[in-house]
Amino acid sequence: MSGRARVKARGIARSPRATEVGRTQASPLPTSVDLSNNEASSSNGFLGTSRISTNDKYGISSGDAGSTSVERGVKNKQDFMDLSICTREKLAHVTDCKTGSSGIPVKLVTNLFNLDFPQDWQLYQYHVTYVPDLASRRLRIALLYSHSELSNKAKAFDGTILFLSQKLEEKVTELSSETQRGETIKMTITLKRELPSSSPVCIQVFNIIFRKILKKLSMYQIGRNFYNPSEPVEIPQHKLSLWPGFAISVSYFESKLLFSADVSYKVLRNETVLEFMTALCQRTGLSGFAQTCEKQLMGLIVLTRYNNRTYSIDDIDWSVKPTHTFQKRDGTEITYVDYYKQQYDITVSDLNQPMLVSLLKRKRNDNSEARLAHLIPELCFLTGLTDQATSNFQLMKAVAEKTRLPPSGRQQRLARLVDNIQRNTNARFELETWGLHFGSQISLTGRVVPSEKILMQDHICQPVSAADWSKDIRTCKILNAQSLNTWLILCSDRTEYVAESFLNCLRRVAGSMGFNVDYPKIIKVQENPAAFVRAVQQYVDPDVQLVMCILPSNQKTYYDSIKKYLSSDCPVPSQCVLARTLNKQGMMMSIATKIAMQMTCKLGGELWAVEIPLKSLMVVGIDVCKDALSKDVMVVGCVASVNPGITRWFSRCILQRTMTDVADCLKVFMTGALNKWYKYNHDLPARIIVYRAGVGDGQLKTLVEYEVPQLLSSVAGSSSNTSSRLSVIVVRKKCMPRFFTEMNRTVQNPPLGTVVDSEATRNEWYDFYLISQVACRGTVSPTYYNVIYDDNGLKPDHMQRLTFKLCHLYYNWPGIVSVPAPCQYAHKLTFLVAQSIHKEPSLELANHLFYL
Amino acid sequence: MEKIPELRRRGLPVARVADAIPYCSADWALLREEEKEKYAEMAREWRAAQGKDSGPSEKQKPVFTPLRRPGMLVPKQNVSPPDMSTLSLKGDQALLGGIFYFLNIFSHGELPPHCEQRFLPCEIGCVKYSLQEGIMADFHSFINPGEIPRGFRFHCQAASDSSHKIPISNFERGHNQATVLQNLYRFIHPNPGNWPPIYCKSDDRTRVNWCLKHMAKASEIRQDLQLLTVEDLVVGIYQQKFLKEPSKTWIRSLLDVAMWDYSSNTRCKWHEENDTLFCALAVCKKIAYCISNSLATLFGIQLTEAHVPLQDYEASNSVTPKMVVLDAGRYQKLRVGSSGFSHFNSANQEQRSNTPIGDYPSRAKISGQNSSVRGRGITRLLESISNSSSNIHKFSNCDTSLSSYMSQKDGYKSSSSLS
């Protein structure tokens, strides 16, 4: 995801409510809807309540400003939902012990911290009603907080639900207050329930407490993370500044409640929108300025420093000026200039600038018209990186240098955060009133599993580093390659020469790896996508084994139209190469080697293998992604191995029209894969292990209840007497914990093959972390595996080792990859379909890795 | 024999046995000789009962012969098109001459449900089509979308950029909505009388319907057009021909084809010049191409330039004058002096003297009609489509998927019903 998109996603999550400027008067009181919703849900049953309503009550109570976002709430709710799925208790072989024992123990430091509290710690949940009823949440909060009974207690309140760490004397407390207008309001506080510290609701309250604490450390919440604007990291040569910050969370791990923090950066541009506009105007002149300006600015995310909020630019209103008036919520009219003066003490200098328009996110259950915010360009700072910037190598390098912290840097930043929390009196006071104590950093013992040998034809090689064995296998022949006899090269006039020299090189390297490449038919084509497609349509006949296209530019239409035609209309493996790539003279050999390997795979060849002790094992990878064109189409990619050596694959991609990220076509795929397996092996696989990637927060339940049964029924349905045993493992590349090894008094990335299956894992799951990638710069992130279903009964040791072995089998990279190969294949397939093809590739290609 | 009533229940018995051949072939292959005879007999009776002309059935007998090879799933090659011409009966004639309008309206994205204005119509395309004649006329116009609701400019811009790329403002080609609608009405309904049915793809139906209503409101013209889906039309045609419902997958694969994306004279001028694939007119024309290519051929209709963009394949030299086939192997051979690539060499000899189309159907190449094939290449190509030569990859694509699907399905069905 590009920086810009990421920023945008975060930006959208914001839902500024009370203080944004110039809101149109469309919806006067959406809050009342929210509140009634809260009440309705909180009067429901116990567990159900907490799940449905927590997003509102906790998110809201986090701050007096009342700024909450639906997104954040939803995220909490979803994390929460995952936690209630206890899969481990159903897996008899791991209920007692889920840790492995093989491998060399290694001492690891984590980014997790103990959170101590008294054993009898409890949280008290109260329900507050107002007579007469008040609609304004701010007023409700202010009235309640002004009471002395509550003023020095630790509390969290969203206007309806109140949490206290100490019990009030009475079960029902009645208070009354007078508003500024002289009205007397009666408040009734009723105890609803007492929650033990292990309750999921408490975890949410802990998260709210820590959000408050980080605010007290003068950090600002942007999206889900907290940033410190007072210590920016400047990159002056690119007009960028980075705000350092943290992503934090509190959750229950294996045995206790832990606080986790990870370093994060917010990329800001030191340029206001007004400055950007002025510069653009000087460059392009006034003619067509408005249009160019709209084109360049719309969709960008801006940050207003007066309240540190982000907005997306949805429109530019050229007719409104800062001197114009708008209606405030109370109905009075005020000019933008005066508003900023009064509210933020900011003087707007340019009174002729147009206004930016941002579409505010609608709240749930709110069917009113869209609300707009008008923003003053002068006060808006651009955030994130444009596409232009992300393609600027120097700029990205400069950003990476600052943001990719090595383990030692990360450790320092963590230490400072902890120090700040403990030293800041406000923060410490907040913790103490809740009865919490910030503890020590967790260290644990991981294990490094043995490295793998790479099996080539007539040769077994022990790579120097599992990260990249391209040098180790240079002289070895690959396992199996189809001879390439009839094939085409399409190139333009300009690229004909490079195509020829590349062809020579390709044949040489292919020959040495045991892949016979005959001379192709070279077709010269004009430089436009239509000419390429027509040439393909014209020259491809059933005998053609592969089409190679030397593309004159990286314009997406070339690639998309060729791939679309050759993947579904006329299924022939195709290889696209950018002419620019072939111009890199010094690298010709390595480029040719890579392309030769890809071509071998596309023809159904096998490159290398690792030793798999389990006979008759089928591994399956499943990944999902949204189609780039039609957002309501989900692309499900499934890849299954079809031989015991796990070197040949059956790949299929299915498009489904749905709003959820759950696959409902798995039976179709599994039946097909099992038929293929049967065809090649004359038997069904004894074991099937499914790696499922692309699982978001809160989807675990649907996975367990919806996808696993599909897989099971297809396994059971396909064989009459013996049914294959199934395991399903959820693979996640993003997870909170990080691990470092301590070495010579500094910390480093842990070695490849490090497995962590204690302390940082969750008690209710059969899960482990595996480090199967190297980070040349920065800190390596572990991959998280959660076994949600397991009939195979493999020992945790074996499951971990097998997963590690599978990370070696991705043929697009002669080295280890961060996820098991079938997942990476499924990902590559879904990406191709979602970005370029937008329809199901022909099944005729299913036996080849045509999408590499 | 108890299979026959069952087949009937499934709707498998067909009016003319020849129609059923490709679809019952698997069943046929599994039946014994006398059963086949009996079945044929019953089919004839059934057909007679239906009051249809049983004349041609006699002629169809030879068609059965290839089916007698036991165990063979009959591929579509056995749909012997010479018979097709004799089979074009009166019912078909009405269908073949029937005129359909394919319509599409593009919008600058779709606005969320709470907005009053859900779409911003910006381009309209419509073609008049019949199976017999192909595309008879087309209509295309850009539409002035009107004022973009405040705050949605980015949304609309992004939607446009990712598809048709029509500018959201200051686009001088956009016509006023009332005029466009009037012109459309004039196009589809030039003479008084019944309004013809209009078809669009089911995915687009909501949008097209909304836009038509919206434009009608703006122009105060009242005419409720009947908007049907192309998918249903295909089902209808297919059913009329084969008395059997095709599968949804088959229909989707029939209509969702990328091969015409760059065909000449398909997109509107503006989209052609800007090299953008998303064009409302192109969508309509491609529907026509797909239907011609897969359904019209089943009726034995000779495809013309009005059916599919043949000119691209016929005169591709003029379209891409620089397209040259290089005999790389021969060059290399001269240079390297190796003799390992002679088979390419000879093939290329032929190609060089041939227009590029000449090497398309590989059979034609072998037959050695070299220099004179220009212009006739396509005729031969068409003939070979009709002959359903397996060598043809492109034009028979849909047929292949059709029959392979059918044979699979029937194979499955018959085995299940027999066992």
mmCIF file of all heavy atoms in Angstrom, chain A residues 294 299 314-315 317 362 496 519 522 524 534 537-539 569 657 839, chain B residues 150-151 153-154 256-259 262 313 316 319 324 326 332 360 397:
data_model
loop_
_atom_site.group_PDB
_atom_site.id
_atom_site.type_symbol
_atom_site.label_atom_id
_atom_site.label_comp_id
_atom_site.label_asym_id
_atom_site.label_seq_id
_atom_site.Cartn_x
_atom_site.Cartn_y
_atom_site.Cartn_z
ATOM 1 N N GLU A 294 -7.335 21.117 -8.888
ATOM 2 C CA GLU A 294 -8.264 20.092 -8.416
ATOM 3 C C GLU A 294 -7.672 18.712 -8.647
ATOM 4 O O GLU A 294 -7.699 17.849 -7.781
ATOM 5 C CB GLU A 294 -9.599 20.202 -9.161
ATOM 6 C CG GLU A 294 -10.526 21.232 -8.546
ATOM 7 C CD GLU A 294 -11.737 21.518 -9.417
ATOM 8 O OE1 GLU A 294 -11.908 20.831 -10.436
ATOM 9 O OE2 GLU A 294 -12.489 22.436 -9.067
ATOM 10 N N GLY A 299 -8.349 14.265 -3.133
ATOM 11 C CA GLY A 299 -8.008 12.935 -2.676
ATOM 12 C C GLY A 299 -6.860 12.917 -1.689
ATOM 13 O O GLY A 299 -6.633 11.912 -1.027
ATOM 14 N N ASP A 314 -12.056 16.533 -0.667
ATOM 15 C CA ASP A 314 -13.018 15.937 -1.588
ATOM 16 C C ASP A 314 -13.445 16.905 -2.675
ATOM 17 O O ASP A 314 -13.985 16.502 -3.694
ATOM 18 C CB ASP A 314 -14.247 15.462 -0.825
ATOM 19 C CG ASP A 314 -13.929 14.296 0.084
ATOM 20 O OD1 ASP A 314 -13.353 13.321 -0.403
ATOM 21 O OD2 ASP A 314 -14.225 14.377 1.289
ATOM 22 N N ASP A 315 -13.235 18.174 -2.437
ATOM 23 C CA ASP A 315 -13.692 19.162 -3.406
ATOM 24 C C ASP A 315 -12.996 20.482 -3.064
ATOM 25 O O ASP A 315 -12.475 20.653 -1.959
ATOM 26 C CB ASP A 315 -15.218 19.317 -3.297
ATOM 27 C CG ASP A 315 -15.836 19.825 -4.594
ATOM 28 O OD1 ASP A 315 -15.084 20.376 -5.428
ATOM 29 O OD2 ASP A 315 -17.050 19.662 -4.760
ATOM 30 N N ASP A 317 -13.990 24.518 -3.159
ATOM 31 C CA ASP A 317 -15.071 25.468 -3.420
ATOM 32 C C ASP A 317 -14.453 26.816 -3.743
ATOM 33 O O ASP A 317 -13.965 27.518 -2.870
ATOM 34 C CB ASP A 317 -15.982 25.552 -2.189
ATOM 35 C CG ASP A 317 -17.327 26.153 -2.549
ATOM 36 O OD1 ASP A 317 -17.374 26.920 -3.536
ATOM 37 O OD2 ASP A 317 -18.316 25.842 -1.863
ATOM 38 N N ARG A 362 -20.075 9.863 7.786
ATOM 39 C CA ARG A 362 -21.377 9.824 8.429
ATOM 40 C C ARG A 362 -21.344 8.839 9.570
ATOM 41 O O ARG A 362 -20.659 7.830 9.533
ATOM 42 C CB ARG A 362 -22.439 9.416 7.423
ATOM 43 C CG ARG A 362 -22.653 10.464 6.366
ATOM 44 C CD ARG A 362 -23.676 10.044 5.366
ATOM 45 N NE ARG A 362 -23.640 8.619 5.137
ATOM 46 C CZ ARG A 362 -24.666 7.834 5.360
ATOM 47 N NH1 ARG A 362 -25.781 8.304 5.817
ATOM 48 N NH2 ARG A 362 -24.583 6.550 5.099
ATOM 49 N N GLU A 496 14.024 -4.068 -30.346
ATOM 50 C CA GLU A 496 14.397 -5.298 -31.035
ATOM 51 C C GLU A 496 15.823 -5.730 -30.683
ATOM 52 O O GLU A 496 16.092 -6.895 -30.429
ATOM 53 C CB GLU A 496 14.273 -5.084 -32.537
ATOM 54 C CG GLU A 496 14.427 -6.358 -33.321
ATOM 55 C CD GLU A 496 14.735 -6.085 -34.774
ATOM 56 O OE1 GLU A 496 14.559 -4.931 -35.205
ATOM 57 O OE2 GLU A 496 15.169 -7.010 -35.451
ATOM 58 N N TYR A 519 14.737 -21.251 -30.396
ATOM 59 C CA TYR A 519 14.553 -19.880 -30.871
ATOM 60 C C TYR A 519 13.078 -19.574 -31.027
ATOM 61 O O TYR A 519 12.317 -20.399 -31.549
ATOM 62 C CB TYR A 519 15.266 -19.669 -32.204
ATOM 63 C CG TYR A 519 16.723 -19.473 -32.000
ATOM 64 C CD1 TYR A 519 17.633 -20.446 -32.366
ATOM 65 C CD2 TYR A 519 17.188 -18.296 -31.399
ATOM 66 C CE1 TYR A 519 18.977 -20.281 -32.140
ATOM 67 C CE2 TYR A 519 18.536 -18.124 -31.174
ATOM 68 C CZ TYR A 519 19.428 -19.125 -31.548
ATOM 69 O OH TYR A 519 20.745 -18.948 -31.316
ATOM 70 N N ILE A 522 10.144 -13.984 -33.541
ATOM 71 C CA ILE A 522 10.127 -12.621 -33.022
ATOM 72 C C ILE A 522 9.201 -11.778 -33.875
ATOM 73 O O ILE A 522 9.315 -11.772 -35.100
ATOM 74 C CB ILE A 522 11.544 -12.011 -33.011
ATOM 75 C CG1 ILE A 522 12.427 -12.822 -32.062
ATOM 76 C CG2 ILE A 522 11.500 -10.560 -32.568
ATOM 77 C CD1 ILE A 522 13.836 -12.335 -31.967
ATOM 78 N N LYS A 524 7.645 -8.009 -34.557
ATOM 79 C CA LYS A 524 7.792 -6.592 -34.234
ATOM 80 C C LYS A 524 6.440 -5.911 -34.290
ATOM 81 O O LYS A 524 5.668 -6.112 -35.225
ATOM 82 C CB LYS A 524 8.773 -5.931 -35.201
ATOM 83 C CG LYS A 524 10.203 -6.185 -34.782
ATOM 84 C CD LYS A 524 11.130 -5.134 -35.325
ATOM 85 C CE LYS A 524 11.433 -5.437 -36.784
ATOM 86 N NZ LYS A 524 12.247 -4.353 -37.355
ATOM 87 N N ARG A 534 -3.356 -7.161 -30.619
ATOM 88 C CA ARG A 534 -3.711 -7.723 -31.924
ATOM 89 C C ARG A 534 -2.675 -8.736 -32.385
ATOM 90 O O ARG A 534 -3.014 -9.785 -32.925
ATOM 91 C CB ARG A 534 -3.842 -6.613 -32.950
ATOM 92 C CG ARG A 534 -5.268 -6.154 -33.002
ATOM 93 C CD ARG A 534 -5.484 -5.135 -34.064
ATOM 94 N NE ARG A 534 -6.554 -4.272 -33.610
ATOM 95 C CZ ARG A 534 -6.653 -3.002 -33.933
ATOM 96 N NH1 ARG A 534 -5.743 -2.438 -34.695
ATOM 97 N NH2 ARG A 534 -7.650 -2.298 -33.487
ATOM 98 N N GLN A 537 -3.300 -11.860 -30.603
ATOM 99 C CA GLN A 537 -4.466 -12.553 -31.132
ATOM 100 C C GLN A 537 -4.144 -13.230 -32.460
ATOM 101 O O GLN A 537 -4.654 -14.291 -32.775
ATOM 102 C CB GLN A 537 -5.612 -11.564 -31.335
ATOM 103 C CG GLN A 537 -6.188 -11.081 -30.021
ATOM 104 C CD GLN A 537 -7.324 -10.093 -30.190
ATOM 105 O OE1 GLN A 537 -7.578 -9.627 -31.282
ATOM 106 N NE2 GLN A 537 -7.988 -9.775 -29.104
ATOM 107 N N GLN A 538 -3.269 -12.586 -33.203
ATOM 108 C CA GLN A 538 -2.990 -13.073 -34.531
ATOM 109 C C GLN A 538 -2.022 -14.259 -34.543
ATOM 110 O O GLN A 538 -2.182 -15.181 -35.310
ATOM 111 C CB GLN A 538 -2.371 -11.935 -35.313
ATOM 112 C CG GLN A 538 -2.671 -11.997 -36.757
ATOM 113 C CD GLN A 538 -2.570 -10.613 -37.349
ATOM 114 O OE1 GLN A 538 -1.984 -9.714 -36.757
ATOM 115 N NE2 GLN A 538 -3.106 -10.427 -38.504
ATOM 116 N N TYR A 539 -1.020 -14.189 -33.702
ATOM 117 C CA TYR A 539 0.060 -15.171 -33.822
ATOM 118 C C TYR A 539 -0.023 -16.333 -32.854
ATOM 119 O O TYR A 539 0.700 -17.303 -33.001
ATOM 120 C CB TYR A 539 1.411 -14.478 -33.688
ATOM 121 C CG TYR A 539 1.699 -13.605 -34.878
ATOM 122 C CD1 TYR A 539 1.457 -12.244 -34.834
ATOM 123 C CD2 TYR A 539 2.169 -14.167 -36.058
ATOM 124 C CE1 TYR A 539 1.685 -11.455 -35.936
ATOM 125 C CE2 TYR A 539 2.400 -13.383 -37.165
ATOM 126 C CZ TYR A 539 2.154 -12.020 -37.103
ATOM 127 O OH TYR A 539 2.371 -11.263 -38.204
ATOM 128 N N ASP A 569 -9.149 -15.457 -22.173
ATOM 129 C CA ASP A 569 -9.711 -15.668 -23.509
ATOM 130 C C ASP A 569 -8.976 -16.766 -24.258
ATOM 131 O O ASP A 569 -9.571 -17.606 -24.910
ATOM 132 C CB ASP A 569 -9.618 -14.381 -24.344
ATOM 133 C CG ASP A 569 -10.662 -13.374 -23.907
ATOM 134 O OD1 ASP A 569 -11.112 -13.493 -22.753
ATOM 135 O OD2 ASP A 569 -11.012 -12.487 -24.692
ATOM 136 N N ARG A 657 -18.989 -12.256 -5.555
ATOM 137 C CA ARG A 657 -19.650 -10.993 -5.327
ATOM 138 C C ARG A 657 -20.129 -10.991 -3.890
ATOM 139 O O ARG A 657 -21.063 -11.662 -3.546
ATOM 140 C CB ARG A 657 -20.843 -10.894 -6.263
ATOM 141 C CG ARG A 657 -20.969 -9.614 -6.955
ATOM 142 C CD ARG A 657 -21.873 -9.801 -8.149
ATOM 143 N NE ARG A 657 -21.168 -9.502 -9.367
ATOM 144 C CZ ARG A 657 -20.771 -8.280 -9.682
ATOM 145 N NH1 ARG A 657 -21.016 -7.263 -8.896
ATOM 146 N NH2 ARG A 657 -20.128 -8.057 -10.799
ATOM 147 N N LYS A 839 -11.159 -11.143 -13.991
ATOM 148 C CA LYS A 839 -12.048 -12.279 -14.180
ATOM 149 C C LYS A 839 -11.282 -13.565 -13.904
ATOM 150 O O LYS A 839 -10.070 -13.539 -13.742
ATOM 151 C CB LYS A 839 -12.664 -12.268 -15.582
ATOM 152 C CG LYS A 839 -11.649 -12.315 -16.706
ATOM 153 C CD LYS A 839 -12.292 -11.918 -18.006
ATOM 154 C CE LYS A 839 -12.760 -13.120 -18.769
ATOM 155 N NZ LYS A 839 -13.000 -12.806 -20.187
ATOM 156 N N ARG B 150 -21.770 18.986 -4.280
ATOM 157 C CA ARG B 150 -20.644 19.518 -3.518
ATOM 158 C C ARG B 150 -20.068 18.452 -2.589
ATOM 159 O O ARG B 150 -20.803 17.770 -1.878
ATOM 160 C CB ARG B 150 -21.136 20.725 -2.716
ATOM 161 C CG ARG B 150 -20.107 21.367 -1.831
ATOM 162 C CD ARG B 150 -18.937 21.986 -2.563
ATOM 163 N NE ARG B 150 -19.279 23.196 -3.299
ATOM 164 C CZ ARG B 150 -18.589 23.621 -4.362
ATOM 165 N NH1 ARG B 150 -17.567 22.920 -4.829
ATOM 166 N NH2 ARG B 150 -18.934 24.726 -4.973
ATOM 167 N N GLY B 151 -18.759 18.285 -2.654
ATOM 168 C CA GLY B 151 -18.113 17.323 -1.764
ATOM 169 C C GLY B 151 -17.850 15.984 -2.435
ATOM 170 O O GLY B 151 -17.125 15.161 -1.894
ATOM 171 N N ARG B 153 -16.743 15.722 -5.652
ATOM 172 C CA ARG B 153 -15.917 15.907 -6.834
ATOM 173 C C ARG B 153 -14.795 14.861 -6.889
ATOM 174 O O ARG B 153 -14.549 14.246 -7.909
ATOM 175 C CB ARG B 153 -15.332 17.315 -6.846
ATOM 176 C CG ARG B 153 -14.539 17.648 -8.080
ATOM 177 C CD ARG B 153 -14.247 19.135 -8.111
ATOM 178 N NE ARG B 153 -15.407 19.892 -8.543
ATOM 179 C CZ ARG B 153 -15.680 20.170 -9.813
ATOM 180 N NH1 ARG B 153 -14.886 19.751 -10.766
ATOM 181 N NH2 ARG B 153 -16.727 20.868 -10.131
ATOM 182 N N PHE B 154 -14.153 14.653 -5.764
ATOM 183 C CA PHE B 154 -13.049 13.693 -5.766
ATOM 184 C C PHE B 154 -13.551 12.288 -6.061
ATOM 185 O O PHE B 154 -12.972 11.551 -6.852
ATOM 186 C CB PHE B 154 -12.304 13.704 -4.437
ATOM 187 C CG PHE B 154 -11.308 12.582 -4.329
ATOM 188 C CD1 PHE B 154 -10.223 12.530 -5.184
ATOM 189 C CD2 PHE B 154 -11.464 11.567 -3.406
ATOM 190 C CE1 PHE B 154 -9.312 11.501 -5.119
ATOM 191 C CE2 PHE B 154 -10.562 10.528 -3.340
ATOM 192 C CZ PHE B 154 -9.486 10.499 -4.189
ATOM 193 N N ASP B 256 -18.283 -11.981 -21.257
ATOM 194 C CA ASP B 256 -17.130 -11.318 -20.657
ATOM 195 C C ASP B 256 -15.865 -11.752 -21.384
ATOM 196 O O ASP B 256 -15.160 -12.643 -20.963
ATOM 197 C CB ASP B 256 -17.072 -11.696 -19.172
ATOM 198 C CG ASP B 256 -16.040 -10.878 -18.445
ATOM 199 O OD1 ASP B 256 -15.538 -9.912 -19.042
ATOM 200 O OD2 ASP B 256 -15.730 -11.196 -17.294
ATOM 201 N N VAL B 257 -15.623 -11.114 -22.488
ATOM 202 C CA VAL B 257 -14.520 -11.518 -23.337
ATOM 203 C C VAL B 257 -13.644 -10.299 -23.598
ATOM 204 O O VAL B 257 -14.141 -9.212 -23.820
ATOM 205 C CB VAL B 257 -15.062 -12.070 -24.674
ATOM 206 C CG1 VAL B 257 -13.942 -12.363 -25.626
ATOM 207 C CG2 VAL B 257 -15.873 -13.327 -24.433
ATOM 208 N N ALA B 258 -12.346 -10.488 -23.543
ATOM 209 C CA ALA B 258 -11.449 -9.341 -23.706
ATOM 210 C C ALA B 258 -10.972 -9.186 -25.142
ATOM 211 O O ALA B 258 -10.366 -8.190 -25.482
ATOM 212 C CB ALA B 258 -10.254 -9.508 -22.784
ATOM 213 N N MET B 259 -11.265 -10.165 -25.986
ATOM 214 C CA MET B 259 -10.586 -10.172 -27.289
ATOM 215 C C MET B 259 -10.974 -9.019 -28.204
ATOM 216 O O MET B 259 -10.224 -8.651 -29.088
ATOM 217 C CB MET B 259 -10.798 -11.498 -27.996
ATOM 218 C CG MET B 259 -12.188 -11.738 -28.474
ATOM 219 S SD MET B 259 -12.249 -13.195 -29.517
ATOM 220 C CE MET B 259 -11.272 -12.698 -30.896
ATOM 221 N N TYR B 262 -9.643 -4.077 -28.241
ATOM 222 C CA TYR B 262 -8.904 -3.112 -29.054
ATOM 223 C C TYR B 262 -9.340 -3.121 -30.509
ATOM 224 O O TYR B 262 -8.668 -2.556 -31.362
ATOM 225 C CB TYR B 262 -7.401 -3.398 -28.958
ATOM 226 C CG TYR B 262 -6.821 -3.016 -27.630
ATOM 227 C CD1 TYR B 262 -6.575 -3.969 -26.659
ATOM 228 C CD2 TYR B 262 -6.532 -1.686 -27.353
ATOM 229 C CE1 TYR B 262 -6.054 -3.607 -25.436
ATOM 230 C CE2 TYR B 262 -6.009 -1.311 -26.136
ATOM 231 C CZ TYR B 262 -5.769 -2.280 -25.176
ATOM 232 O OH TYR B 262 -5.247 -1.907 -23.978
ATOM 233 N N TYR B 313 -8.720 -8.519 -38.681
ATOM 234 C CA TYR B 313 -7.981 -9.747 -38.930
ATOM 235 C C TYR B 313 -7.709 -9.929 -40.406
ATOM 236 O O TYR B 313 -6.801 -10.614 -40.820
ATOM 237 C CB TYR B 313 -8.755 -10.919 -38.324
ATOM 238 C CG TYR B 313 -8.971 -10.638 -36.885
ATOM 239 C CD1 TYR B 313 -10.137 -10.064 -36.430
ATOM 240 C CD2 TYR B 313 -7.909 -10.796 -35.989
ATOM 241 C CE1 TYR B 313 -10.281 -9.716 -35.109
ATOM 242 C CE2 TYR B 313 -8.045 -10.448 -34.674
ATOM 243 C CZ TYR B 313 -9.227 -9.910 -34.234
ATOM 244 O OH TYR B 313 -9.351 -9.551 -32.937
ATOM 245 N N SER B 316 -4.989 -6.619 -41.346
ATOM 246 C CA SER B 316 -4.197 -6.150 -40.221
ATOM 247 C C SER B 316 -2.916 -5.472 -40.680
ATOM 248 O O SER B 316 -2.341 -4.672 -39.968
ATOM 249 C CB SER B 316 -3.864 -7.315 -39.306
ATOM 250 O OG SER B 316 -3.272 -8.327 -40.071
ATOM 251 N N VAL B 319 -3.485 -1.955 -40.601
ATOM 252 C CA VAL B 319 -3.674 -1.420 -39.254
ATOM 253 C C VAL B 319 -2.334 -1.248 -38.559
ATOM 254 O O VAL B 319 -2.032 -0.227 -37.987
ATOM 255 C CB VAL B 319 -4.575 -2.346 -38.421
ATOM 256 C CG1 VAL B 319 -4.754 -1.784 -37.038
ATOM 257 C CG2 VAL B 319 -5.929 -2.508 -39.103
ATOM 258 N N VAL B 324 6.083 -7.051 -38.517
ATOM 259 C CA VAL B 324 6.876 -7.907 -39.389
ATOM 260 C C VAL B 324 7.200 -9.174 -38.623
ATOM 261 O O VAL B 324 7.484 -9.128 -37.441
ATOM 262 C CB VAL B 324 8.210 -7.219 -39.762
ATOM 263 C CG1 VAL B 324 8.942 -8.020 -40.803
ATOM 264 C CG2 VAL B 324 7.972 -5.799 -40.242
ATOM 265 N N LEU B 326 9.798 -11.670 -37.933
ATOM 266 C CA LEU B 326 11.222 -11.902 -38.148
ATOM 267 C C LEU B 326 11.502 -13.373 -37.963
ATOM 268 O O LEU B 326 10.979 -14.001 -37.057
ATOM 269 C CB LEU B 326 12.034 -11.134 -37.114
ATOM 270 C CG LEU B 326 12.151 -9.646 -37.354
ATOM 271 C CD1 LEU B 326 12.950 -9.050 -36.225
ATOM 272 C CD2 LEU B 326 12.829 -9.392 -38.676
ATOM 273 N N GLN B 332 19.685 -16.492 -36.586
ATOM 274 C CA GLN B 332 20.615 -17.121 -35.682
ATOM 275 C C GLN B 332 21.385 -18.220 -36.394
ATOM 276 O O GLN B 332 22.561 -18.409 -36.195
ATOM 277 C CB GLN B 332 19.877 -17.713 -34.493
ATOM 278 C CG GLN B 332 19.190 -16.673 -33.630
ATOM 279 C CD GLN B 332 20.193 -15.803 -32.936
ATOM 280 O OE1 GLN B 332 21.365 -16.169 -32.828
ATOM 281 N NE2 GLN B 332 19.776 -14.630 -32.482
ATOM 282 N N TYR B 360 -2.964 -17.852 -39.777
ATOM 283 C CA TYR B 360 -3.813 -18.015 -38.609
ATOM 284 C C TYR B 360 -4.420 -19.394 -38.464
ATOM 285 O O TYR B 360 -4.091 -20.119 -37.550
ATOM 286 C CB TYR B 360 -4.854 -16.896 -38.517
ATOM 287 C CG TYR B 360 -5.333 -16.891 -37.127
ATOM 288 C CD1 TYR B 360 -4.543 -16.314 -36.137
ATOM 289 C CD2 TYR B 360 -6.478 -17.575 -36.777
ATOM 290 C CE1 TYR B 360 -4.910 -16.385 -34.835
ATOM 291 C CE2 TYR B 360 -6.849 -17.649 -35.462
ATOM 292 C CZ TYR B 360 -6.060 -17.049 -34.493
ATOM 293 O OH TYR B 360 -6.423 -17.134 -33.207
ATOM 294 N N ASN B 397 -13.634 -19.956 -29.683
ATOM 295 C CA ASN B 397 -13.392 -19.989 -28.254
ATOM 296 C C ASN B 397 -14.637 -20.277 -27.441
ATOM 297 O O ASN B 397 -14.669 -21.126 -26.575
ATOM 298 C CB ASN B 397 -12.849 -18.627 -27.830
ATOM 299 C CG ASN B 397 -11.751 -18.809 -26.853
ATOM 300 O OD1 ASN B 397 -11.598 -19.917 -26.345
ATOM 301 N ND2 ASN B 397 -11.009 -17.785 -26.597
#
